[in-house]
Amino acid sequence: MRTIVLAVGRLRPPFADDVQHYQKLLARHARLELIELRDEEKVDGRIPDRAYVVLLDAGGSTFDSIQFSRFLEERRQSGQDLCFVVGGPRGLDLDDCDLRLSFGPMTLPHQLARVVLLEQIYRANKILAGEPYHY
């Protein structure tokens, strides 16, 4: 299973360094692909066929870390690629997604949302591996 993070907009420091950090940590746990797009209109064309699509959306469902790790394991067991979509500064409305995921009611800068997403994917993988990280 591939985990794809499809994001609108370019990362800038300090967020780029944080994303790179989690990308390295995740390398031993998951096949991660990070794709940046300049224009949100091109998002639909970059979502892989038959992927399970998760849109980051302030109005979406919330998970705690254990629930999120279970969600990742379900996706892994399905063998279906998992594609997270992160909108730009004004968000993104994507009609054809399987899940809308929220990190809570507060608004996060879209660049920070990518960092939080990668950290949570890393945490979930550590939980699933039974390795210490989750407190």
Side-chain angles (χ1 to χ4, degrees):
M1 175 187 94
R2 290 182 305 162
T3 302
I4 300 130
V5 176
L6 184 60
V8 176
R10 289 195 61 128
L11 277 176
R12 292 181 299 248
F15 304 107
D17 296 336
D18 294 333
V19 165
Q20 189 175 44
H21 170 74
Y22 283 109
Q23 189 174 13
K24 284 180 188 175
L25 292 175
L26 274 162
R28 62 179 276 241
H29 294 282
R31 283 183 45 206
L32 180 68
E33 293 180 30
L34 303 177
I35 301 170
E36 287 186 346
L37 299 173
R38 290 180 188 232
D39 190 349
E40 67 186 43
E41 294 171 5
K42 297 179 181 178
V43 168
D44 282 330
R46 294 301 300 268
I47 296 173
D49 291 337
R50 297 181 301 280
Y52 189 94
V53 179
V54 179
L55 176 66
L56 270 59
D57 181 346
S61 301
T62 59
F63 297 127
D64 66 23
S65 295
I66 300 295
Q67 291 169 328
F68 188 65
S69 70
R70 289 181 186 142
F71 167 77
L72 280 187
E73 182 59 21
E74 288 171 9
R75 301 281 42 91
R76 191 180 293 167
Q77 292 299 320
S78 78
Q80 191 176 20
D81 287 341
L82 180 58
C83 182
F84 291 95
V85 179
V86 183
R90 289 176 281 293
L92 178 69
D93 189 24
L94 190 62
D95 293 328
D96 202 18
C97 65
D98 298 296
L99 175 70
R100 291 175 184 267
L101 176 66
S102 173
F103 292 139
M106 288 193 227
T107 302
L108 295 177
H110 70 285
Q111 292 186 67
L112 181 57
R114 282 195 242 178
V115 175
V116 172
L117 174 62
L118 291 179
E119 191 280 334
Q120 288 301 306
I121 294 171
Y122 177 65
R123 180 181 296 267
N125 277 281
K126 294 289 276 188
I127 290 168
L128 292 171
E131 297 175 4
Y133 181 76
H134 178 69
Y135 303 104

